Amino acid sequence: MNSLPEGCKYCVKGEKLVLFISGKCSRNCWYCSLSNKRKNKDTVYANERIIKNPRDFLKEIKESNATSMGITGGDPLLCLDKTLKYAKLAKRFKHFHIHIYLPTKLVTKNNLKKLSKYIDEIRFHPEWLVSSSSKLNENSIFADIQKIKLALLFYKKQNIGIELPMIPDKKQEILDFIIKISPFIGFVNLNEFELSETNIKNIIKKYKLNEGGYTIKDSIKAGIWLLKKLKKRKINLSVHLCTANLKNNYQFKNRLKRHKILPFGRKTKEGLVKYLVSYKKPKSKDYYFDKQKKRYILSEDLARRLLIKQKIFLVEEFPTFDRIETETQELKS
């Protein structure tokens, strides 16, 4: 029950690139955790990089040393041609694994057939959960099951799953749905329920937050309850509870550690990178000119020699495309 789907194995190791294909969606989930920056915006991101053309996309795969990709949104089926275009590009890389997150609303046999040419693993987000009603809508559940069953025409059962937030007061409904859908899927991913700037009004009315203020109280507890219930019933599924801690302190950190860095940089244990920087061009070849930030990255030896003559800074930042600085310190001679 605790084995991971193939896509999750890449993710935990930091090898997964996240392709955010669009912020436009076929529905309006009350618990959606997208930021204002991305929600309903038709912009493509690969990790932190805005993608304007195929060259940008391929560059991000190489710079992040990705061996796999998760395609998300919004709803990738709203822009199916674009989704297929980038999936095909990613398959240029040998043994590159791709999984996709799909709301069930626009799922059809024809759409799944097109996706199956490039997508290795498919994760459905059921329509019934969108309702804020405390009771299950049997018609909606039946429709979800019929659409998810279509994936068996193109995928092995182990490569079909559902993924949804672990909403504490929906635990019984989620359990009932998993039992009903279990003959047609190979795995279930339950994500710790998180707060965002776009769902905060809906969340704080109904739920309490854990210490730290961005995860919902009892979400993990409800997930553990559900895992125990499924184990007792001996449901033959791979079921995983993905916590915010796993995402932030393992997946993300491991991705940072794999990311390429500029010459003369030094990685930290957390995956950040430190550079010795000058904003004055040195009379030496022992440096790298950083065009993006218009600065000179120095070797340790050159920085030591120049420290008496000019200002040298020790900069710590993320190695990702946005290269957000976490600390800047002027060195003293």
Side-chain angles (χ1 to χ4, degrees), residues 127-145 170 173 177 180:
E127 185 76 11
W128 70 263
L129 194 61
V130 178
S131 171
S132 58
S133 171
S134 60
K135 294 183 179 180
L136 289 180
N137 183 318
E138 292 299 329
N139 290 333
S140 181
I141 288 173
F142 179 77
D144 277 326
I145 292 172
K170 294 275 189 180
E173 289 89 344
F177 181 74
K180 288 180 179 181

Side-chain angles (χ1 to χ4, degrees), residues 109-125:
K109 180 180 175 181
N110 189 45
N111 284 344
L112 293 177
K113 183 179 180 180
K114 289 178 180 179
L115 289 172
S116 66
K117 189 174 181 180
Y118 307 108
I119 307 298
D120 302 289
E121 183 181 280
I122 195 158
R123 303 172 178 206
F124 293 102
H125 189 81

Side-chain angles (χ1 to χ4, degrees), residues 20-46:
F20 181 84
I21 200 70
S22 173
K24 291 190 174 183
C25 195
S26 57
R27 59 196 200 190
N28 186 29
C29 301
W30 60 270
Y31 47 81
C32 179
S33 60
L34 287 184
S35 65
N36 282 318
K37 183 180 178 182
R38 296 195 181 193
K39 191 170 184 177
N40 297 320
K41 309 293 193 304
D42 195 19
T43 306
V44 181
Y45 288 84

Side-chain angles (χ1 to χ4, degrees), residues 266 274-277 312-316 327-331:
R266 178 169 57 87
K274 291 186 176 184
Y275 296 112
L276 292 165
V277 170
I312 306 296
F313 299 89
L314 177 62
V315 178
E316 183 183 78
E327 186 177 356
T328 301
Q329 176 188 351
E330 183 179 350
L331 300 181

